[in-house]
Amino acid sequence: MAERGLHTTVYGQGQLRSSLGSNRWRLFANDEELAQLRRLGRLHISRIQLPSGEEATLTPDGRSVVVALDRDGNELARIIRTSWFGRRWEIESQKWAYELISDPRPRRWHIAVGGTSVAQITGSLVSYNRVMIDAPLGVPLLVVALAWQVVARPWEAAAAPATLIASPAEGEPE
């Protein structure tokens, strides 16, 4: 049985799309919208919202770590920088473990298991406003979201800034 919600698998051809300068992204796989991601730059976090209403927050958690938290603050997954220049990352949860590895060609990354590529991530020539995903074996949605966080937003993934503002409680204005 395939898992749903935040544990959905991204399979086949997909992409993350955003207008230039926008803080809103949409994740598609096989022409189906799986999630919307919203960057909250002032707070240094991103929010993931699924069509079902389920949500998660991507937030820096110390140097070189970004965690995905559910609405109750429970950790769902994390990504950890394992190389000095941020070209290798480990993405893990209680259920799975992946690697995010930068390719020698610019704006190209791959997601691997045990050193074997299972998905490719390719940014456009100018920006990461359109990110193509090729996942012939399928990867969890949270893997794609955490990879996007460090690929498209490296300044936040590198470290939690000293000026980090706590995210508002449920129902408070942003």
Side-chain angles (χ1 to χ4, degrees), residues 56-119:
T57 301
L58 305 179
T59 184
D61 186 39
R63 286 198 71 74
S64 304
V65 177
V66 176
V67 295
L69 305 172
D70 67 13
R71 281 186 178 157
D72 298 326
N74 299 313
E75 185 176 317
L76 301 170
R78 66 178 36 225
I79 187 166
I80 305 159
R81 185 174 66 186
T82 59
S83 70
W84 181 257
F85 292 109
R87 298 181 60 81
R88 296 183 73 86
W89 298 77
E90 290 179 358
I91 310 170
E92 59 189 36
S93 80
Q94 291 181 347
K95 295 183 177 188
W96 39 255
Y98 291 85
E99 299 167 280
L100 176 65
I101 303 166
S102 175
D103 289 345
R105 295 173 291 174
R107 300 197 182 278
R108 293 182 187 260
W109 295 74
H110 68 270
I111 296 169
V113 173
T116 302
S117 179
V118 296

Side-chain angles (χ1 to χ4, degrees), residues 18-25 39 127 129:
S18 175
S19 301
L20 191 61
S22 173
N23 67 345
R24 295 182 185 271
W25 296 64
R39 297 169 28 167
S127 72
N129 284 63

Side-chain angles (χ1 to χ4, degrees), residues 9 29 58 65 86 89 95 105 110 115 128 132 141 151 163-164 166:
T9 299
L58 305 179
V65 177
W89 298 77
K95 295 183 177 188
R105 295 173 291 174
H110 68 270
Y128 282 105
M132 305 304 293
L141 180 142
V151 168
T163 60
L164 185 64

